[in-house]
Amino acid sequence: MNIVLLGAPGAGKGTQAAKLVEEFGTPHISTGDMLRAAVKAGTELGKKAKSFMDAGDLVPDDVIIGLVTERLGEPDTEKGFILDGFPRTSAQAVALDAELSKLGRPLSAALLIDVDSEVIVKRLTSRRMCKDCGFIGSEANEQCPKCGGEMYQRDDDNEATVRNRLDVYEKSTSPLIDYYRGCDLLVSIDGDRDPNVVYADVKKALEL
Ligand SMILES: [Zn+2]
């Protein structure tokens, strides 16, 4: 499976990726994690990326594409990969297609975990985290069920911030979704259900 994972923050993308990784051992390639790792390791690309990040600028497409291409050259991706956090724009999607066709490993699907934004607002704003152990629960948890610690709401889980994140996501991702639909690669799964039910559908749709 050579897939690109799409979905709003809070849609459950990470949960589905973790299930695929656990069952199939497919590498989960998160560009956010890779950027942080490259910067830490001080690679050429990492240094380049850091100069943009330090200036508060977005890391340009060619740097990210360089990172992804480098990563896809590693042998563990030969049987497949799950790309997460990239591409973010249709220009990046076109560049990715070009790189993958050079490697002779075209995408098999763009998997969208689709959840209505009002459902996501509810999910994220009712999320509470344990001050002591980081356990993620909901507003129903007055105390942490794991350690008894105090539960609090993260700053970026307040409603205004969540709505802003969703707006940003929608604006940048809608063209991407249209792009993959046009290539006949889009697989859209209703993510507003139990994660195991969603996962069963994901496997069926990807013919796994
Ligand atoms: Zn706790």
Side-chain angles (χ1 to χ4, degrees):
M1 74 182 103
N2 298 344
I3 66 174
V4 161
L5 199 52
L6 302 170
K13 213 163 47 124
T15 306
Q16 297 303 318
K19 285 177 182 293
L20 287 169
V21 170
E22 196 192 341
E23 185 169 353
F24 300 99
T26 313
H28 175 215
I29 304 178
S30 151
T31 43
D33 292 349
M34 278 171 53
L35 270 177
R36 283 185 286 275
V39 168
K40 211 174 155 199
T43 63
E44 269 321 298
L45 278 167
K47 281 183 207 153
K48 215 168 159 189
K50 189 172 186 298
S51 66
F52 291 99
M53 289 153 88
D54 285 348
D57 291 327
L58 281 177
V59 179
D61 282 5
D62 62 324
V63 176
I64 309 250
I65 291 161
L67 261 181
V68 171
T69 311
E70 221 172 69
R71 181 67 184 84
L72 291 174
E74 286 171 34
D76 66 326
T77 65
E78 269 161 27
K79 282 188 188 153
F81 53 82
I82 302 166
L83 266 178
D84 187 359
F86 179 89
R88 282 202 193 279
T89 62
S90 31
Q92 289 183 349
V94 172
L96 176 65
D97 279 349
E99 287 300 331
L100 289 175
S101 89
K102 264 190 236 164
L103 292 167
R105 288 146 63 198
L107 280 185
S108 37
L111 178 64
L112 171 66
I113 308 299
D114 194 25
V115 180
D116 183 79
S117 49
E118 288 311 309
V119 173
I120 292 184
V121 169
K122 256 197 208 122
R123 263 191 201 178
L124 293 183
T125 56
S126 67
R127 193 158 72 169
R128 297 292 181 276
M129 212 180 206
C130 172
K131 269 189 176 152
D132 297 324
C133 73
F135 173 83
I136 295 174
S138 76
E139 53 195 355
N141 302 119
E142 279 180 28
Q143 282 183 324
C144 174
K146 275 180 112 178
C147 75
E150 195 186 326
M151 302 291 284
Y152 75 106
Q153 182 177 40
R154 282 178 7 179
D155 287 343
D156 55 352
D157 284 346
N158 77 62
E159 185 168 338
T161 311
V162 166
R163 288 198 185 276
N164 184 45
R165 272 156 66 200
L166 288 174
D167 278 351
V168 169
Y169 165 80
E170 234 143 76
K171 279 198 191 95
S172 62
T173 314
S174 313
L176 195 57
I177 290 173
D178 291 341
Y179 173 80
Y180 284 124
R181 191 178 281 122
C183 303
D184 212 16
L185 283 174
L186 189 73
V187 172
S188 178
I189 303 287
D190 173 10
D192 188 15
R193 294 171 298 163
D194 178 89
N196 292 318
V197 177
V198 174
Y199 184 57
D201 259 13
V202 164
K203 286 205 289 184
K204 206 157 73 184
L206 296 177
E207 294 168 8
L208 294 170

